[in-house]
């Protein structure tokens, strides 16, 4: 998200008599894991009283590592923030961790209080009714599995997992960068590397098809600035340097065959 474009959009809304209500910024976009410039975006939202939600669904896990917290600069501007431990923090699907600066506004929007839900504990104000923080009334005890993950791995275990993913993506990206047949398609701040064949979109798409057809890897793709890119994502605690090197060997051999024809 470009701060200048955001400011222009807000100003255009105001000029048209429309009230801008919410901005959703992303730390670690789905396609490429890009990080929005939150300090600038947050200041613009604060200036205009616009709710700022920060979506760190995947990259929120990076914040367990002090050296990766640069990615969360400006998060203090957030009115709400979420990340999914089920993505990169070793927790079974599904589990979203949600934080809100002022729960009053959320509860005001979502609370329902039919007679059959009235009870003394709620009325005393001594309990937090999380049913008022969401659209459904009922909820599963998702926090329990996250608690087990935190207890089992501990903070150092979680950090080791995240650091391993980042190091493996770096290792793979270094192979890509050193080979003229390939190019990196975006920065790789976390555990995803996006790359392509400069030979073109069709060649890149065919490369993806061929390596996935072997059944030994499963890569996905995206488009960056309209151009096709392959995505190699690392997330399992079982993935090692040998797996990454094997994936690279497979890609390299397939590219060799493809570019020779
Ligand atoms: C940045 C981002 N936001 C949201 C989502 C959706 O996540 P959920 O599983 O919570 O629906 C994804 C999933 O890919 C994501 O990468």
């Amino acid at each position: 998200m470009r701060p200048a474009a955001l400011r222009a959009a807000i100003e255009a809304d105001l000029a048209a008599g429309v009230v801008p209500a919410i901005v959703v910024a992303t730390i670690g976009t789905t396609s490429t894991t890009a990080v929005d410039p939150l300090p600038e975006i947050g200041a613009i939202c604060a200036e205009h009283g616009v709710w700022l939600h920060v979506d760190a669904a995947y990259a929120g896990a990076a914040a367990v590592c002090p050296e990766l917290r640069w990615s969360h600069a400006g998060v203090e501007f957030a009115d709400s923030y979420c990340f999914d431990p089920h993505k990169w923090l070793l927790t079974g699907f599904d589990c979203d961790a949600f934080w809100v600066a002022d729960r009053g506004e959320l509860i005001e929007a979502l609370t329902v209080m039919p007679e059959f839900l009235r009870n003394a504990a709620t009325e005393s104000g001594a309990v937090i009714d999380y049913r008022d923080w969401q659209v459904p009334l009922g909820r599963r005890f998702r926090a329990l599995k996250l608690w087990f993950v935190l207890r089992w791995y501990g903070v150092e275990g979680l950090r080791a997992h995240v650091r391993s993913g980042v190091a493996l993506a770096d290792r793979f990206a270094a192979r890509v960068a050193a080979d003229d047949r390939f190019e990196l398609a975006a920065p790789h701040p976390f555990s995803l590397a996006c790359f392509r064949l400069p030979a073109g979109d069709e060649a890149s798409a065919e490369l993806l098809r061929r390596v996935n057809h072997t059944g030994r890897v499963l890569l996905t793709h995206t488009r960056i600035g309209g151009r096709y890119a392959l995505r190699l994502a690392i997330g399992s605690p079982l993935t090692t340097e040998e797996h990454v090197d094997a994936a690279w060997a497979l890609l390299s051999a397939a590219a060799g065959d493809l570019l020779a024809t």
Side-chain angles (χ1 to χ4, degrees):
M1 188 187 298
R2 294 194 183 95
L6 172 65
R7 182 180 289 284
I10 290 175
E11 285 170 1
D13 277 357
L14 293 172
V18 180
V19 178
I22 183 168
V23 167
V24 180
T26 310
I27 300 176
T29 57
T30 314
S31 173
T32 66
T33 72
V35 178
D36 280 335
L38 263 194
E40 292 89 340
I41 292 169
I44 295 169
C45 291
E47 189 186 323
H48 291 92
V50 178
W51 184 284
L52 174 63
H53 176 68
V54 175
D55 178 350
Y58 155 75
V64 300
C65 296
E67 74 275 19
L68 293 173
R69 285 195 196 135
W70 58 265
S71 60
H72 281 58
V75 77
E76 64 278 7
F77 284 107
D79 293 292
S80 54
Y81 169 92
C82 67
F83 95 97
D84 286 350
H86 71 234
K87 285 199 162 60
W88 193 17
L89 211 68
L90 301 160
T91 307
F93 186 81
D94 59 345
C95 181
D96 175 73
F98 177 66
W99 176 91
V100 65
D102 174 8
R103 68 176 187 249
E105 298 208 45
L106 187 69
I107 292 169
E108 198 186 332
L110 295 176
T111 191
V112 285
M113 189 46 87
E115 193 56 34
F116 53 83
L117 288 179
R118 290 195 181 281
N119 64 85
T122 293
E123 270 152 36
S124 76
V127 294
I128 294 178
D129 286 317
Y130 287 110
R131 62 152 198 256
D132 294 336
W133 292 47
Q134 59 178 20
V135 174
L137 269 188
R139 52 197 289 129
R140 297 194 289 120
F141 190 4
R142 295 178 176 88
L144 181 62
K145 62 190 173 188
L146 179 58
W147 184 82
F148 279 122
V149 169
L150 299 178
R151 295 291 296 174
W152 177 259
Y153 286 91
V155 68
E156 286 309 326
L158 296 174
R159 286 176 178 157
H161 166 66
V162 168
R163 284 175 182 144
S164 151
V166 173
L168 291 173
D170 271 347
R171 181 181 180 93
F172 178 80
R175 303 273 189 280
V176 171
D179 190 320
D180 287 346
R181 300 167 305 167
F182 288 82
E183 67 186 7
L184 288 168
H188 52 94
F190 305 114
S191 68
L192 173 84
C194 297
F195 60 100
R196 62 167 77 94
L197 295 177
D201 287 359
E202 275 172 32
S204 295
E206 177 60 15
L207 178 64
L208 180 84
R209 199 193 64 74
R210 289 191 189 185
V211 294
N212 281 351
H213 190 68
T214 66
R216 294 180 55 212
V217 291
L218 179 64
L219 272 58
T220 54
H221 79 280
T222 189
R223 281 192 181 268
I224 305 170
R227 291 182 62 194
Y228 192 99
L230 293 84
R231 302 168 76 251
L232 182 127
I234 291 150
S236 165
L238 300 177
T239 303
T240 64
E241 290 182 349
E242 286 99 273
H243 298 114
V244 171
D245 291 350
W248 170 249
L250 194 64
L251 281 156
S252 176
D257 291 346
L258 183 66
L259 296 172
T261 56

